[in-house]
Amino acid sequence: MNQAAENIYFNPWDPAFRANPYPHYKPLLAGPPRILDLFGPTAMVARFADVTAVLRDHAHFSSVRPRDPNETDENDEGPFAGARTMLFSDPPLHTRLRRLVSRDFTPRRIRDLEPRIRAIAKNLIDAAEGKGELEVMHGIANALPVMVIAEMLGVPPDHYQQFKHWSDTVVSGDNTLPGTPLPEEFHTAKNALRNYFAEEIERRRKSPGTDLVSALVAAHDDAEAMNADELLAFVLLLLLAGNETTTNLIGNGMLALGRNPAQMNLLRQTPEMMPRAIEEILRYDGPVQSTIRFTKENINLGGTDLPANQHCFIILAAANRDPAQFDDPDRFDITREPRDHLALGEGIHFCIGAPLARMEGAIAITALLERFPRLRLQDSSAPVTYKGSYFLRGLASLKMATD
Ligand code: HEM
C-alpha cells in the first residue's frame, strides 16, 4: 500500500502526473500487480500479460461496480443513471445490448460513411486555413468526431456545438476527487443531454428517419430490443465513448508526429503507411489510459492475490509501453512491425467503434498532411497542456506552424 516505499507515484488528480504519466508506469511494469491506496485500495494492473488476462476473463473481472447497500438507480450519480450500458455490464446483459447495435458498426457500414467524413474534414480545414498557424484541436480534432456521431444519430448540424459542450462537461466529471460531490455543471450538462435525447427519441418514434436512433426505436417491438432507458443510455454512451476518444487520437497523433518530424516526413512520403501510423499512435499515446474492473471472487493475478470486490485499474497505456511486449517501447516508430496493442481494449468489450475511430483518425491526419506541406511544431520541446481527465488523455490545445 505504501507508494513511497516502492518508489511509485500514481496520482491521476495531479496535473503534473497527467501531463506525463509514462515514467510513473515503469515501476508498475517491473513487477506483479500492486495494491495501492488511491482513496481506497486499488489494484494496479499494468503489465501487458496481466492486462490481457484480465480483459479476456470477464467471468472473474466484472465491468459492473459493486454497489453500496443503500445505492439505487435513482441516487446513482453517473451519466447513465437508470440503465446499464454495454460498457458497464457483464454477460448476459452485455451480450444482448452489444448484439443489438453491432450490425451498425461493421467495417462495411463504417466504410459507407467515408465520403461524408472526408467532406466534413475538408470543410473544417478550409475554415482553419490561411492563418499561418493551425490550432489542431480547435481546427479539426474537437469538431470532427462529434459531427460524425451526431450525423449517425441524425442530429441537426446546428446542435453540434451544444453537444460538444455537454459531452465535454460530463467527461471531465471523472477528474473529481473521489468522495467529493460532482460539480453542479456536471449535473446540469448530464440532465440537458438526457432531456435532449429523450425528446429526440420521442421525435423519431413519431417520424423515423434513416439514422441509427430511428433504427433502434423501430426495433422496439423485438423481444430482445432495448427499452427506452437503455436506448437513451446507449446514445449517451456513443456520444461519450466515441467523441472525446477520437478527438484525442487526432490530437495525440499530431503531437507525436510533430515531435518526431522524421516520422512525419516518412508518412508524407509513404501515405500507404497511414494504417500502421494510426496503430502506433494508439499504442504510443492512447486516448484511453486506463479502464476499470472489479474482481468477482478471490483470485491470483500475475502472482498477486486479489480479494473479491477489488477495484482494479487496468492501465492499457502502461501495457502498451511494456518492454516485455514492445522493443524500445518509448520510441514512436510508425515502421514498427504491427503487434497487438491494447488501446482499444480486448475481449468482449473490445471497442465497438474501432473501425470508425481508425477511419476518422486516418482521414483527419491525411487531410492535415496533404493540406499543409510545412506543418510542424514551432518548438517540439515546448510543454503542452492536457485536459482535466486522466482516463481520457487529450490536449487542451495544440498549435502548429503551417507557413
Ligand atoms: C481512438 C478512439 C477510441 C478509443 C481509443 C476507444 C477505446 C475503447 C476501449 C479501450 C474500450 C474498452 C473499454 C473496456 O474494456 O472497459 C472501448 C469500448 C467501447 N467503445 Fe471505444 N474507443 C474509441 C472510439 C470509439 C468510437 C468512435 C465509438 C463509437 C462511435 C466507441 C464506442 C465504444 C463503445 C460503445 C464501447 C463499449 C463496448 C463494449 O462494452 O462492448 N469508441 N473503446
Side-chain angles (χ1 to χ4, degrees):
M1 290 264 192
N2 186 343
Q3 297 202 29
E6 288 196 81
N7 200 17
I8 291 174
Y9 180 70
F10 194 97
N11 181 356
W13 299 280
D14 171 1
F17 174 91
R18 285 203 306 269
N20 187 7
Y22 295 105
H24 302 292
Y25 295 154
K26 284 190 197 301
L28 295 172
L29 287 167
R34 326 285 206 283
I35 299 182
L36 301 182
D37 197 352
L38 303 180
F39 293 90
T42 306
M44 312 303 292
V45 183
R47 293 183 302 191
F48 190 93
D50 296 332
V51 169
T52 309
V54 167
L55 295 179
R56 288 184 181 163
D57 186 2
H58 58 269
H60 291 101
F61 291 91
S62 169
S63 295
V64 183
R65 182 171 58 85
R67 282 189 164 179
D68 296 337
N70 57 358
E71 225 178 317
T72 63
D73 281 347
E74 284 66 42
N75 65 18
D76 178 344
E77 286 228 308
F80 310 112
R84 289 243 171 267
T85 64
M86 71 177 96
L87 184 59
F88 300 113
S89 62
D90 294 332
L93 178 59
H94 172 267
T95 321
R96 186 189 128 242
L97 292 175
R98 183 154 174 144
R99 192 164 51 216
L100 281 169
V101 295
S102 51
R103 65 168 189 271
D104 295 295
F105 287 91
T106 57
R108 226 193 83 220
R109 274 290 178 97
I110 297 304
R111 267 200 305 278
D112 293 345
L113 293 171
E114 187 171 349
R116 187 63 199 127
I117 299 176
R118 276 190 204 291
I120 297 175
K122 180 181 175 304
N123 289 342
L124 288 169
I125 296 179
D126 285 348
E129 206 182 4
K131 299 179 180 148
E133 74 169 11
L134 173 76
E135 210 294 282
V136 174
M137 306 313 289
H138 182 72
I140 181 163
N142 287 339
L144 181 73
V146 73
M147 291 174 87
V148 172
I149 291 186
E151 180 133 330
M152 285 178 87
L153 297 175
V155 164
D158 48 321
H159 296 177
Y160 295 152
Q161 299 281 2
Q162 180 62 75
F163 260 163
K164 179 72 189 155
H165 173 70
W166 286 332
S167 84
D168 284 354
T169 310
V170 175
V171 166
S172 64
D174 82 16
N175 196 34
T176 310
L177 285 174
T180 42
L182 285 156
E184 197 46 46
E185 56 182 12
F186 169 90
H187 294 288
T188 312
K190 178 186 88 175
N191 292 336
L193 256 181
R194 287 176 60 86
N195 292 341
Y196 179 85
F197 267 111
E199 278 175 29
E200 282 291 301
I201 288 170
E202 213 29 59
R203 196 164 66 78
R204 274 6 119 60
R205 221 183 275 291
K206 290 184 185 127
S207 63
T210 53
D211 57 274
L212 179 56
V213 178
S214 296
L216 291 170
V217 170
H220 205 246
D221 291 338
D222 292 1
E224 288 229 306
M226 290 187 188
N227 63 39
D229 281 345
E230 288 169 346
L231 183 54
L232 184 58
F234 172 65
V235 168
L236 298 182
L237 173 66
L238 276 191
L239 209 55
L240 301 183
N243 179 7
E244 188 68 18
T245 47
T246 316
T247 289
N248 297 342
L249 167 64
I250 301 168
N252 297 359
M254 290 312 298
L255 178 65
L257 290 166
R259 284 181 169 167
N260 296 274
Q263 298 283 305
M264 185 169 350
N265 277 339
L266 180 64
L267 189 54
R268 278 186 194 287
Q269 283 152 20
T270 39
E272 60 278 12
M273 289 185 77
M274 186 56 80
R276 268 203 197 192
I278 294 292
E279 298 316 303
E280 178 62 353
I281 292 165
L282 286 166
R283 181 199 72 81
Y284 177 77
D285 197 12
V288 180
Q289 289 288 297
S290 180
T291 184
I292 287 176
R293 293 290 189 272
F294 303 89
T295 51
K296 286 193 173 170
E297 52 196 66
N298 297 350
I299 188 166
N300 184 283
L301 177 70
T304 302
D305 285 325
L306 304 177
N309 291 328
Q310 174 66 61
H311 177 219
C312 308
F313 268 31
I314 314 301
I315 313 174
L316 309 172
N320 286 338
R321 299 276 190 119
D322 186 344
Q325 177 73 6
F326 301 100
D327 288 340
D328 197 2
D330 295 331
R331 193 182 72 235
F332 177 70
D333 180 0
I334 63 169
T335 67
R336 227 174 243 286
E337 275 308 304
R339 293 206 69 177
D340 290 346
H341 59 71
L342 297 168
L344 295 158
E346 168 70 34
I348 61 166
H349 291 277
F350 179 78
C351 178
I352 202 171
L356 179 59
R358 288 173 163 137
M359 186 202 280
E360 283 186 57
I363 289 176
I365 295 176
T366 303
L368 288 171
L369 296 186
E370 280 178 5
R371 184 72 67 90
F372 302 108
R374 288 172 49 71
L375 191 65
R376 65 200 182 281
L377 288 178
Q378 223 37 303
D379 171 3
S380 64
S381 56
V384 284
T385 3
Y386 284 87
K387 285 174 277 194
S389 161
Y390 161 70
F391 291 97
L392 299 186
R393 173 175 172 78
L395 294 162
S397 149
L398 177 63
K399 285 203 170 88
M400 297 184 87
T402 57
D403 51 0

